Amino acid sequence: MSRFISKRFDTLTEYVPGEQPTDMKYIKLNTNESPFPPSPSVLAAVSNEAERLNLYPDPDCAALCRALAQLFSVSPENITVGNGSDEILNFCFSAYCDKEKGVAFPAISYGFYSVFAELYNLDYRAIGLADDFSIVPEDYFGLDRTIVIANPNAPTGLALGVGDIRRILEHNREDIVIIDEAYVDFGAESVLPLIREYDNLVAVGTFSKFRSLAGARLGYAAAVPELIADLNKLRFSTNPYNINRATLAAGIAAVRDNDYYVENGKKIVRTREWVTRQLREMGFVVLPSKANFVFAKYGGAISGKQLYFELKSRGILVRHFDRQEITDYLRITIGTDEQMDALIGALREILR
Ligand SMILES: *Cc1c(COP(=O)(O)O)cnc(C)c1O
């Protein structure tokens, strides 16, 4: 870093995205992307939009907010969109946390939460998980902090039921509760309908996983209109054109093509259940996932890190976290059946 950067970033450690290596062609099971391409109408919408790239996009993203509102049976005033849900989360940390109002989130969860907390110099509390890696709802009651929970959680894949999140909302009526639903479409239940009952709930979603648009960068938030106005205030104070024309067109088409993504989601869930069984037969401990990945450890003599390197040398990328509590585990994205066949084959060879 240069000597000119502000002192307030001295202790900031930036987020490290999953690797995207280019040295060879890998089977990529490390960043939870969809293995399926966007639907044909998304491709057509993007290519149609290309000739208008000389014009700024709609800063209100009105057509996309309307489409999402219809999908979720809420009003367009309940929706805003971001350049990936990471941007929405950034706005939430910025809007609802400060010197007086700290933040709390699970100790093992999406790595970006602690990065945002450090970026904004927040007092943050990382709340431990139960021994089985589940989130204990009571631990989040009445903390007098903004609360952020990924549901399903990452990298565990475990989900809380809506009833448990409702209890967390009930016990934090004067604080914002942000539920990050990046993986909700793979078998968990969305809390989004609860925005009608709770003016302290922000439900955050992304087009990156279930909707095959990780490369387009599109996320959304649903909440009461007052909270959406807060987030839009930050949006218009940082980048009013945060969603480019191609992504807006892609997003609208992807919402209209919901059935295509629902079908793909079913395939991924079927494959996830098959992979879980295969891994367990081979001696892995596999947490019961409600996401498009599994979190698994091999009980035997080979470490998580070694397994990661052995798979990489065979052209298969998975995610390993250098953290003591989960160092034996690998997070493995669910790809196509063919990709997962290759994974299981490689693991059998390594463990032989
Ligand atoms: C992938 C992921 C995100 C970020 O998604 P983008 O919309 O691509 O920014 C947010 N939260 C969790 C828990 C994720 O796994």
Side-chain angles (χ1 to χ4, degrees):
M1 279 190 301
S2 84
R3 65 185 190 281
F4 303 107
I5 189 171
S6 166
K7 289 270 173 294
R8 71 180 188 279
F9 297 127
D10 272 354
T11 57
L12 177 64
T13 314
E14 63 270 34
Y15 179 72
V16 184
E19 57 188 328
Q20 305 280 3
T22 49
D23 58 326
M24 61 179 270
K25 206 169 160 351
Y26 287 97
I27 294 180
K28 268 195 91 266
L29 307 176
N30 67 327
T31 47
N32 298 343
E33 291 138 323
S34 173
F36 303 112
S39 62
S41 68
V42 167
L43 304 184
V46 169
S47 106
N48 266 332
E49 198 59 27
E51 62 182 1
R52 283 182 289 279
L53 287 178
N54 57 316
L55 303 174
Y56 282 111
D58 171 17
D60 294 320
C61 305
L64 177 58
C65 289
R66 274 200 305 275
L68 281 168
Q70 200 177 10
L71 180 69
F72 299 133
S73 304
V74 296
S75 146
E77 288 74 49
N78 292 122
I79 304 285
T80 189
V81 286
N83 192 296
S85 55
D86 288 340
E87 189 181 53
I88 299 268
L89 293 166
N90 185 2
F91 292 157
C92 288
F93 273 79
S94 171
Y96 302 119
C97 309
D98 55 28
K99 258 208 223 52
E100 282 80 44
K101 184 59 72 179
V103 62
F105 42 79
I108 297 173
S109 192
Y110 186 38
F112 226 136
Y113 303 152
S114 58
V115 176
F116 286 134
E118 286 181 27
L119 175 66
Y120 293 113
N121 259 309
L122 304 175
D123 169 22
Y124 72 90
R125 192 184 293 173
I127 298 184
L129 301 178
D131 289 342
D132 63 358
F133 289 108
S134 61
I135 289 171
V136 181
E138 287 79 6
D139 291 348
Y140 296 82
F141 288 1
L143 296 180
D144 192 19
R145 291 164 182 270
T146 296
I147 290 168
V148 188
I149 293 176
N151 193 52
N153 196 13
T156 64
L158 301 180
L160 286 176
V162 166
D164 282 329
I165 294 175
R166 184 190 281 280
R167 291 197 296 136
I168 293 171
L169 287 159
E170 284 291 343
H171 286 86
N172 291 282
R173 289 314 302 249
E174 296 310 313
D175 281 298
I176 293 290
V177 176
I178 299 151
I179 304 296
D180 178 353
E181 299 197 322
Y183 301 105
V184 77
D185 298 290
F186 300 102
E189 200 184 346
S190 176
V191 296
L192 198 146
L194 296 190
I195 66 170
R196 297 191 194 87
E197 295 172 65
Y198 295 95
D199 64 0
N200 58 330
L201 168 64
V202 184
V204 179
T206 178
F207 282 64
S208 294
K209 279 95 188 204
F210 180 71
R211 289 182 205 279
S212 298
L213 282 177
R217 313 304 304 129
L218 186 58
Y220 58 87
V224 292
E226 293 77 8
L227 298 185
I228 294 301
D230 298 340
L231 298 177
N232 279 333
K233 184 176 183 120
L234 286 161
R235 197 162 74 78
F236 279 90
S237 305
T238 39
N239 184 5
Y241 301 116
N242 62 335
I243 315 295
N244 71 69
R245 276 186 173 273
T247 296
L248 272 179
I252 295 162
V255 173
R256 292 201 181 123
D257 245 354
N258 199 45
D259 294 349
Y260 169 89
Y261 298 99
V262 170
E263 279 313 306
N264 286 346
K266 284 183 190 158
K267 283 184 210 163
I268 287 172
V269 168
R270 271 200 300 273
T271 305
R272 178 186 73 205
E273 298 311 303
W274 175 80
V275 168
T276 300
R277 283 195 301 276
Q278 293 286 313
L279 290 174
R280 284 180 180 156
E281 273 170 30
M282 292 164 76
F284 280 83
V285 172
V286 188
L287 301 194
S289 171
K290 295 271 191 233
N292 67 338
F293 56 83
V294 290
F295 200 49
K297 82 168 172 182
Y298 187 67
I302 183 163
S303 74
K305 199 163 190 172
Q306 270 174 299
L307 263 183
Y308 158 83
F309 280 117
E310 289 291 338
L311 285 169
K312 187 171 180 182
S313 73
R314 287 167 175 78
I316 301 175
L317 275 184
V318 299
R319 189 90 192 251
H320 175 260
F321 298 90
D322 252 327
R323 260 184 79 166
Q324 191 233 320
E325 316 94 288
I326 52 173
T327 189
D328 292 336
Y329 282 80
L330 296 177
R331 192 195 68 191
I332 306 167
T333 305
I334 303 301
T336 61
D337 287 344
E338 296 71 41
Q339 291 175 318
M340 302 322 279
D341 268 336
L343 169 87
I344 297 293
L347 284 173
R348 282 195 205 291
E349 190 183 290
I350 294 163
L351 297 178
R352 195 175 292 143

PDB file of all heavy atoms in Angstrom, residues 31-32 83-87 89 109-110 113 150 152-154 180 182-183 205-209 214 217-219 293 331, ligand 1:
ATOM      1  N   THR A  31     -16.972 -21.849  -6.227  1.00  0.00           N
ATOM      2  CA  THR A  31     -17.576 -20.542  -5.940  1.00  0.00           C
ATOM      3  C   THR A  31     -19.105 -20.550  -6.051  1.00  0.00           C
ATOM      4  O   THR A  31     -19.721 -19.484  -6.144  1.00  0.00           O
ATOM      5  CB  THR A  31     -16.997 -19.428  -6.856  1.00  0.00           C
ATOM      6  OG1 THR A  31     -16.983 -19.895  -8.193  1.00  0.00           O
ATOM      7  CG2 THR A  31     -15.582 -19.061  -6.453  1.00  0.00           C
ATOM      8  N   ASN A  32     -19.689 -21.748  -6.032  1.00  0.00           N
ATOM      9  CA  ASN A  32     -21.149 -21.873  -5.943  1.00  0.00           C
ATOM     10  C   ASN A  32     -21.912 -21.215  -7.095  1.00  0.00           C
ATOM     11  O   ASN A  32     -23.066 -20.813  -6.943  1.00  0.00           O
ATOM     12  CB  ASN A  32     -21.669 -21.337  -4.601  1.00  0.00           C
ATOM     13  CG  ASN A  32     -21.117 -22.129  -3.429  1.00  0.00           C
ATOM     14  OD1 ASN A  32     -20.625 -23.232  -3.610  1.00  0.00           O
ATOM     15  ND2 ASN A  32     -21.181 -21.562  -2.239  1.00  0.00           N
ATOM     16  N   ASN A  83     -25.633  -4.113  -7.349  1.00  0.00           N
ATOM     17  CA  ASN A  83     -24.615  -4.721  -8.193  1.00  0.00           C
ATOM     18  C   ASN A  83     -24.077  -5.962  -7.464  1.00  0.00           C
ATOM     19  O   ASN A  83     -23.031  -5.932  -6.818  1.00  0.00           O
ATOM     20  CB  ASN A  83     -23.512  -3.693  -8.445  1.00  0.00           C
ATOM     21  CG  ASN A  83     -22.561  -4.127  -9.538  1.00  0.00           C
ATOM     22  OD1 ASN A  83     -21.865  -5.116  -9.392  1.00  0.00           O
ATOM     23  ND2 ASN A  83     -22.531  -3.401 -10.619  1.00  0.00           N
ATOM     24  N   GLY A  84     -24.846  -7.025  -7.551  1.00  0.00           N
ATOM     25  CA  GLY A  84     -24.601  -8.195  -6.709  1.00  0.00           C
ATOM     26  C   GLY A  84     -25.219  -7.950  -5.346  1.00  0.00           C
ATOM     27  O   GLY A  84     -25.435  -6.798  -4.948  1.00  0.00           O
ATOM     28  N   SER A  85     -25.533  -9.031  -4.625  1.00  0.00           N
ATOM     29  CA  SER A  85     -26.057  -8.799  -3.281  1.00  0.00           C
ATOM     30  C   SER A  85     -24.958  -8.287  -2.365  1.00  0.00           C
ATOM     31  O   SER A  85     -25.245  -7.701  -1.323  1.00  0.00           O
ATOM     32  CB  SER A  85     -26.732 -10.058  -2.716  1.00  0.00           C
ATOM     33  OG  SER A  85     -25.863 -11.150  -2.740  1.00  0.00           O
ATOM     34  N   ASP A  86     -23.708  -8.472  -2.742  1.00  0.00           N
ATOM     35  CA  ASP A  86     -22.614  -7.881  -1.960  1.00  0.00           C
ATOM     36  C   ASP A  86     -22.806  -6.364  -1.818  1.00  0.00           C
ATOM     37  O   ASP A  86     -22.551  -5.800  -0.755  1.00  0.00           O
ATOM     38  CB  ASP A  86     -21.260  -8.143  -2.634  1.00  0.00           C
ATOM     39  CG  ASP A  86     -20.826  -9.599  -2.513  1.00  0.00           C
ATOM     40  OD1 ASP A  86     -21.340 -10.299  -1.624  1.00  0.00           O
ATOM     41  OD2 ASP A  86     -19.968 -10.025  -3.307  1.00  0.00           O
ATOM     42  N   GLU A  87     -23.255  -5.715  -2.891  1.00  0.00           N
ATOM     43  CA  GLU A  87     -23.460  -4.269  -2.805  1.00  0.00           C
ATOM     44  C   GLU A  87     -24.630  -3.936  -1.874  1.00  0.00           C
ATOM     45  O   GLU A  87     -24.578  -2.974  -1.096  1.00  0.00           O
ATOM     46  CB  GLU A  87     -23.706  -3.659  -4.185  1.00  0.00           C
ATOM     47  CG  GLU A  87     -23.712  -2.142  -4.133  1.00  0.00           C
ATOM     48  CD  GLU A  87     -23.979  -1.500  -5.485  1.00  0.00           C
ATOM     49  OE1 GLU A  87     -24.993  -1.844  -6.132  1.00  0.00           O
ATOM     50  OE2 GLU A  87     -23.175  -0.650  -5.895  1.00  0.00           O
ATOM     51  N   LEU A  89     -25.560  -5.730   0.679  1.00  0.00           N
ATOM     52  CA  LEU A  89     -25.058  -5.936   2.045  1.00  0.00           C
ATOM     53  C   LEU A  89     -24.200  -4.750   2.473  1.00  0.00           C
ATOM     54  O   LEU A  89     -24.283  -4.276   3.617  1.00  0.00           O
ATOM     55  CB  LEU A  89     -24.256  -7.238   2.123  1.00  0.00           C
ATOM     56  CG  LEU A  89     -25.077  -8.523   1.927  1.00  0.00           C
ATOM     57  CD1 LEU A  89     -24.172  -9.728   1.688  1.00  0.00           C
ATOM     58  CD2 LEU A  89     -25.980  -8.775   3.130  1.00  0.00           C
ATOM     59  N   SER A 109     -19.575 -18.047   8.831  1.00  0.00           N
ATOM     60  CA  SER A 109     -20.597 -17.598   7.889  1.00  0.00           C
ATOM     61  C   SER A 109     -19.898 -16.956   6.692  1.00  0.00           C
ATOM     62  O   SER A 109     -18.686 -17.129   6.512  1.00  0.00           O
ATOM     63  CB  SER A 109     -21.559 -16.614   8.564  1.00  0.00           C
ATOM     64  OG  SER A 109     -22.695 -16.403   7.740  1.00  0.00           O
ATOM     65  N   TYR A 110     -20.656 -16.230   5.919  1.00  0.00           N
ATOM     66  CA  TYR A 110     -20.105 -15.578   4.734  1.00  0.00           C
ATOM     67  C   TYR A 110     -18.988 -14.606   5.157  1.00  0.00           C
ATOM     68  O   TYR A 110     -19.205 -13.724   5.991  1.00  0.00           O
ATOM     69  CB  TYR A 110     -21.239 -14.842   4.034  1.00  0.00           C
ATOM     70  CG  TYR A 110     -20.884 -14.215   2.703  1.00  0.00           C
ATOM     71  CD1 TYR A 110     -20.028 -14.849   1.812  1.00  0.00           C
ATOM     72  CD2 TYR A 110     -21.440 -12.989   2.332  1.00  0.00           C
ATOM     73  CE1 TYR A 110     -19.728 -14.277   0.587  1.00  0.00           C
ATOM     74  CE2 TYR A 110     -21.148 -12.417   1.109  1.00  0.00           C
ATOM     75  CZ  TYR A 110     -20.289 -13.064   0.238  1.00  0.00           C
ATOM     76  OH  TYR A 110     -19.996 -12.491  -0.966  1.00  0.00           O
ATOM     77  N   TYR A 113     -19.054 -10.512   5.780  1.00  0.00           N
ATOM     78  CA  TYR A 113     -19.668  -9.762   6.884  1.00  0.00           C
ATOM     79  C   TYR A 113     -18.598  -9.097   7.763  1.00  0.00           C
ATOM     80  O   TYR A 113     -18.721  -7.926   8.117  1.00  0.00           O
ATOM     81  CB  TYR A 113     -20.559 -10.662   7.747  1.00  0.00           C
ATOM     82  CG  TYR A 113     -21.672 -11.366   7.000  1.00  0.00           C
ATOM     83  CD1 TYR A 113     -22.157 -12.587   7.447  1.00  0.00           C
ATOM     84  CD2 TYR A 113     -22.234 -10.813   5.845  1.00  0.00           C
ATOM     85  CE1 TYR A 113     -23.181 -13.252   6.780  1.00  0.00           C
ATOM     86  CE2 TYR A 113     -23.243 -11.476   5.174  1.00  0.00           C
ATOM     87  CZ  TYR A 113     -23.713 -12.691   5.639  1.00  0.00           C
ATOM     88  OH  TYR A 113     -24.715 -13.354   4.972  1.00  0.00           O
ATOM     89  N   ALA A 150     -26.988 -15.424   7.267  1.00  0.00           N
ATOM     90  CA  ALA A 150     -27.167 -16.080   5.975  1.00  0.00           C
ATOM     91  C   ALA A 150     -28.027 -17.314   6.209  1.00  0.00           C
ATOM     92  O   ALA A 150     -27.719 -18.137   7.061  1.00  0.00           O
ATOM     93  CB  ALA A 150     -25.822 -16.479   5.380  1.00  0.00           C
ATOM     94  N   PRO A 152     -30.028 -20.280   3.819  1.00  0.00           N
ATOM     95  CA  PRO A 152     -29.083 -21.176   4.465  1.00  0.00           C
ATOM     96  C   PRO A 152     -27.739 -20.499   4.735  1.00  0.00           C
ATOM     97  O   PRO A 152     -27.354 -19.601   3.998  1.00  0.00           O
ATOM     98  CB  PRO A 152     -28.901 -22.315   3.442  1.00  0.00           C
ATOM     99  CG  PRO A 152     -30.120 -22.287   2.597  1.00  0.00           C
ATOM    100  CD  PRO A 152     -30.559 -20.866   2.554  1.00  0.00           C
ATOM    101  N   ASN A 153     -27.062 -20.986   5.782  1.00  0.00           N
ATOM    102  CA  ASN A 153     -25.763 -20.418   6.100  1.00  0.00           C
ATOM    103  C   ASN A 153     -24.711 -20.964   5.134  1.00  0.00           C
ATOM    104  O   ASN A 153     -24.859 -22.038   4.571  1.00  0.00           O
ATOM    105  CB  ASN A 153     -25.400 -20.762   7.551  1.00  0.00           C
ATOM    106  CG  ASN A 153     -24.271 -19.898   8.091  1.00  0.00           C
ATOM    107  OD1 ASN A 153     -23.901 -18.884   7.491  1.00  0.00           O
ATOM    108  ND2 ASN A 153     -23.718 -20.288   9.225  1.00  0.00           N
ATOM    109  N   ALA A 154     -23.664 -20.179   4.939  1.00  0.00           N
ATOM    110  CA  ALA A 154     -22.516 -20.623   4.157  1.00  0.00           C
ATOM    111  C   ALA A 154     -21.299 -20.523   5.084  1.00  0.00           C
ATOM    112  O   ALA A 154     -21.217 -19.575   5.862  1.00  0.00           O
ATOM    113  CB  ALA A 154     -22.317 -19.715   2.950  1.00  0.00           C
ATOM    114  N   ASP A 180     -29.759 -12.947   4.662  1.00  0.00           N
ATOM    115  CA  ASP A 180     -29.091 -13.100   3.365  1.00  0.00           C
ATOM    116  C   ASP A 180     -29.512 -14.440   2.775  1.00  0.00           C
ATOM    117  O   ASP A 180     -29.069 -15.493   3.226  1.00  0.00           O
ATOM    118  CB  ASP A 180     -27.576 -13.013   3.614  1.00  0.00           C
ATOM    119  CG  ASP A 180     -26.755 -13.203   2.343  1.00  0.00           C
ATOM    120  OD1 ASP A 180     -27.333 -13.525   1.284  1.00  0.00           O
ATOM    121  OD2 ASP A 180     -25.524 -13.026   2.428  1.00  0.00           O
ATOM    122  N   ALA A 182     -29.028 -15.914  -0.182  1.00  0.00           N
ATOM    123  CA  ALA A 182     -28.329 -16.248  -1.440  1.00  0.00           C
ATOM    124  C   ALA A 182     -28.664 -17.663  -1.940  1.00  0.00           C
ATOM    125  O   ALA A 182     -28.688 -17.906  -3.146  1.00  0.00           O
ATOM    126  CB  ALA A 182     -26.820 -16.094  -1.253  1.00  0.00           C
ATOM    127  N   TYR A 183     -28.924 -18.591  -0.995  1.00  0.00           N
ATOM    128  CA  TYR A 183     -29.116 -20.000  -1.386  1.00  0.00           C
ATOM    129  C   TYR A 183     -30.522 -20.511  -1.117  1.00  0.00           C
ATOM    130  O   TYR A 183     -30.763 -21.715  -1.132  1.00  0.00           O
ATOM    131  CB  TYR A 183     -28.110 -20.872  -0.620  1.00  0.00           C
ATOM    132  CG  TYR A 183     -26.686 -20.468  -0.896  1.00  0.00           C
ATOM    133  CD1 TYR A 183     -25.948 -19.752   0.052  1.00  0.00           C
ATOM    134  CD2 TYR A 183     -26.080 -20.774  -2.106  1.00  0.00           C
ATOM    135  CE1 TYR A 183     -24.646 -19.366  -0.209  1.00  0.00           C
ATOM    136  CE2 TYR A 183     -24.775 -20.389  -2.372  1.00  0.00           C
ATOM    137  CZ  TYR A 183     -24.067 -19.683  -1.415  1.00  0.00           C
ATOM    138  OH  TYR A 183     -22.781 -19.304  -1.687  1.00  0.00           O
ATOM    139  N   GLY A 205     -31.407 -11.055  -1.589  1.00  0.00           N
ATOM    140  CA  GLY A 205     -31.273 -12.181  -2.522  1.00  0.00           C
ATOM    141  C   GLY A 205     -30.305 -11.855  -3.638  1.00  0.00           C
ATOM    142  O   GLY A 205     -29.875 -10.708  -3.795  1.00  0.00           O
ATOM    143  N   THR A 206     -29.957 -12.877  -4.407  1.00  0.00           N
ATOM    144  CA  THR A 206     -29.003 -12.682  -5.501  1.00  0.00           C
ATOM    145  C   THR A 206     -29.437 -13.456  -6.739  1.00  0.00           C
ATOM    146  O   THR A 206     -30.130 -14.472  -6.632  1.00  0.00           O
ATOM    147  CB  THR A 206     -27.592 -13.151  -5.084  1.00  0.00           C
ATOM    148  OG1 THR A 206     -26.710 -12.995  -6.197  1.00  0.00           O
ATOM    149  CG2 THR A 206     -27.581 -14.608  -4.664  1.00  0.00           C
ATOM    150  N   PHE A 207     -29.031 -12.977  -7.905  1.00  0.00           N
ATOM    151  CA  PHE A 207     -29.228 -13.706  -9.158  1.00  0.00           C
ATOM    152  C   PHE A 207     -28.001 -14.586  -9.469  1.00  0.00           C
ATOM    153  O   PHE A 207     -27.937 -15.215 -10.509  1.00  0.00           O
ATOM    154  CB  PHE A 207     -29.437 -12.718 -10.318  1.00  0.00           C
ATOM    155  CG  PHE A 207     -30.821 -12.119 -10.385  1.00  0.00           C
ATOM    156  CD1 PHE A 207     -31.292 -11.314  -9.371  1.00  0.00           C
ATOM    157  CD2 PHE A 207     -31.643 -12.356 -11.489  1.00  0.00           C
ATOM    158  CE1 PHE A 207     -32.567 -10.743  -9.434  1.00  0.00           C
ATOM    159  CE2 PHE A 207     -32.922 -11.799 -11.572  1.00  0.00           C
ATOM    160  CZ  PHE A 207     -33.380 -10.994 -10.538  1.00  0.00           C
ATOM    161  N   SER A 208     -27.013 -14.602  -8.572  1.00  0.00           N
ATOM    162  CA  SER A 208     -25.732 -15.244  -8.894  1.00  0.00           C
ATOM    163  C   SER A 208     -25.762 -16.766  -8.841  1.00  0.00           C
ATOM    164  O   SER A 208     -24.976 -17.410  -9.520  1.00  0.00           O
ATOM    165  CB  SER A 208     -24.645 -14.770  -7.927  1.00  0.00           C
ATOM    166  OG  SER A 208     -24.370 -13.412  -8.106  1.00  0.00           O
ATOM    167  N   LYS A 209     -26.618 -17.331  -8.007  1.00  0.00           N
ATOM    168  CA  LYS A 209     -26.560 -18.774  -7.831  1.00  0.00           C
ATOM    169  C   LYS A 209     -27.697 -19.466  -8.576  1.00  0.00           C
ATOM    170  O   LYS A 209     -27.492 -19.986  -9.646  1.00  0.00           O
ATOM    171  CB  LYS A 209     -26.550 -19.095  -6.335  1.00  0.00           C
ATOM    172  CG  LYS A 209     -25.168 -18.955  -5.709  1.00  0.00           C
ATOM    173  CD  LYS A 209     -24.882 -17.655  -5.056  1.00  0.00           C
ATOM    174  CE  LYS A 209     -23.420 -17.523  -4.633  1.00  0.00           C
ATOM    175  NZ  LYS A 209     -23.246 -16.574  -3.533  1.00  0.00           N
ATOM    176  N   ALA A 214     -24.094 -15.026 -12.109  1.00  0.00           N
ATOM    177  CA  ALA A 214     -22.998 -14.533 -11.263  1.00  0.00           C
ATOM    178  C   ALA A 214     -22.171 -13.472 -11.996  1.00  0.00           C
ATOM    179  O   ALA A 214     -21.721 -12.489 -11.402  1.00  0.00           O
ATOM    180  CB  ALA A 214     -22.103 -15.688 -10.813  1.00  0.00           C
ATOM    181  N   ARG A 217     -23.731  -9.687 -12.139  1.00  0.00           N
ATOM    182  CA  ARG A 217     -23.746  -8.923 -10.900  1.00  0.00           C
ATOM    183  C   ARG A 217     -25.122  -8.309 -10.641  1.00  0.00           C
ATOM    184  O   ARG A 217     -25.402  -7.177 -11.043  1.00  0.00           O
ATOM    185  CB  ARG A 217     -22.657  -7.817 -10.876  1.00  0.00           C
ATOM    186  CG  ARG A 217     -21.279  -8.250 -11.306  1.00  0.00           C
ATOM    187  CD  ARG A 217     -20.751  -9.424 -10.498  1.00  0.00           C
ATOM    188  NE  ARG A 217     -20.758  -9.129  -9.079  1.00  0.00           N
ATOM    189  CZ  ARG A 217     -21.305  -9.956  -8.157  1.00  0.00           C
ATOM    190  NH1 ARG A 217     -21.879 -11.090  -8.517  1.00  0.00           N
ATOM    191  NH2 ARG A 217     -21.258  -9.638  -6.886  1.00  0.00           N
ATOM    192  N   LEU A 218     -25.975  -9.051  -9.994  1.00  0.00           N
ATOM    193  CA  LEU A 218     -27.310  -8.545  -9.687  1.00  0.00           C
ATOM    194  C   LEU A 218     -27.823  -9.157  -8.390  1.00  0.00           C
ATOM    195  O   LEU A 218     -27.842 -10.379  -8.223  1.00  0.00           O
ATOM    196  CB  LEU A 218     -28.276  -8.868 -10.836  1.00  0.00           C
ATOM    197  CG  LEU A 218     -29.688  -8.287 -10.733  1.00  0.00           C
ATOM    198  CD1 LEU A 218     -29.667  -6.765 -10.629  1.00  0.00           C
ATOM    199  CD2 LEU A 218     -30.532  -8.717 -11.940  1.00  0.00           C
ATOM    200  N   GLY A 219     -28.207  -8.285  -7.463  1.00  0.00           N
ATOM    201  CA  GLY A 219     -28.815  -8.724  -6.214  1.00  0.00           C
ATOM    202  C   GLY A 219     -30.003  -7.833  -5.899  1.00  0.00           C
ATOM    203  O   GLY A 219     -30.231  -6.829  -6.587  1.00  0.00           O
ATOM    204  N   PHE A 293     -24.360 -26.440  -2.533  1.00  0.00           N
ATOM    205  CA  PHE A 293     -23.031 -26.960  -2.213  1.00  0.00           C
ATOM    206  C   PHE A 293     -23.186 -27.907  -1.035  1.00  0.00           C
ATOM    207  O   PHE A 293     -24.229 -27.910  -0.352  1.00  0.00           O
ATOM    208  CB  PHE A 293     -22.056 -25.823  -1.857  1.00  0.00           C
ATOM    209  CG  PHE A 293     -22.537 -24.949  -0.729  1.00  0.00           C
ATOM    210  CD1 PHE A 293     -22.339 -25.325   0.604  1.00  0.00           C
ATOM    211  CD2 PHE A 293     -23.224 -23.759  -0.981  1.00  0.00           C
ATOM    212  CE1 PHE A 293     -22.789 -24.528   1.638  1.00  0.00           C
ATOM    213  CE2 PHE A 293     -23.674 -22.962   0.068  1.00  0.00           C
ATOM    214  CZ  PHE A 293     -23.460 -23.348   1.383  1.00  0.00           C
ATOM    215  N   ARG A 331     -15.762 -27.262   1.011  1.00  0.00           N
ATOM    216  CA  ARG A 331     -17.061 -26.836   0.494  1.00  0.00           C
ATOM    217  C   ARG A 331     -17.063 -27.139  -0.991  1.00  0.00           C
ATOM    218  O   ARG A 331     -16.221 -26.641  -1.732  1.00  0.00           O
ATOM    219  CB  ARG A 331     -17.285 -25.350   0.743  1.00  0.00           C
ATOM    220  CG  ARG A 331     -18.739 -24.927   0.496  1.00  0.00           C
ATOM    221  CD  ARG A 331     -18.887 -23.425   0.388  1.00  0.00           C
ATOM    222  NE  ARG A 331     -18.239 -22.937  -0.824  1.00  0.00           N
ATOM    223  CZ  ARG A 331     -18.022 -21.666  -1.096  1.00  0.00           C
ATOM    224  NH1 ARG A 331     -18.386 -20.740  -0.249  1.00  0.00           N
ATOM    225  NH2 ARG A 331     -17.425 -21.300  -2.218  1.00  0.00           N
TER     226      ARG A 331
HETATM  227  C1  LIG B   1     -22.566 -15.659  -3.074  1.00  0.00           C
HETATM  228  C2  LIG B   1     -23.047 -14.999  -1.835  1.00  0.00           C
HETATM  229  C3  LIG B   1     -23.347 -13.640  -1.820  1.00  0.00           C
HETATM  230  C4  LIG B   1     -22.936 -12.696  -2.909  1.00  0.00           C
HETATM  231  O1  LIG B   1     -23.597 -12.816  -4.033  1.00  0.00           O
HETATM  232  P1  LIG B   1     -23.463 -11.743  -5.199  1.00  0.00           P
HETATM  233  O2  LIG B   1     -24.878 -11.435  -5.477  1.00  0.00           O
HETATM  234  O3  LIG B   1     -22.769 -12.484  -6.292  1.00  0.00           O
HETATM  235  O4  LIG B   1     -22.698 -10.547  -4.718  1.00  0.00           O
HETATM  236  C5  LIG B   1     -23.922 -13.104  -0.685  1.00  0.00           C
HETATM  237  N1  LIG B   1     -24.129 -13.854   0.407  1.00  0.00           N
HETATM  238  C6  LIG B   1     -23.813 -15.148   0.442  1.00  0.00           C
HETATM  239  C7  LIG B   1     -24.051 -15.937   1.682  1.00  0.00           C
HETATM  240  C8  LIG B   1     -23.239 -15.757  -0.678  1.00  0.00           C
HETATM  241  O5  LIG B   1     -22.866 -17.035  -0.628  1.00  0.00           O
END
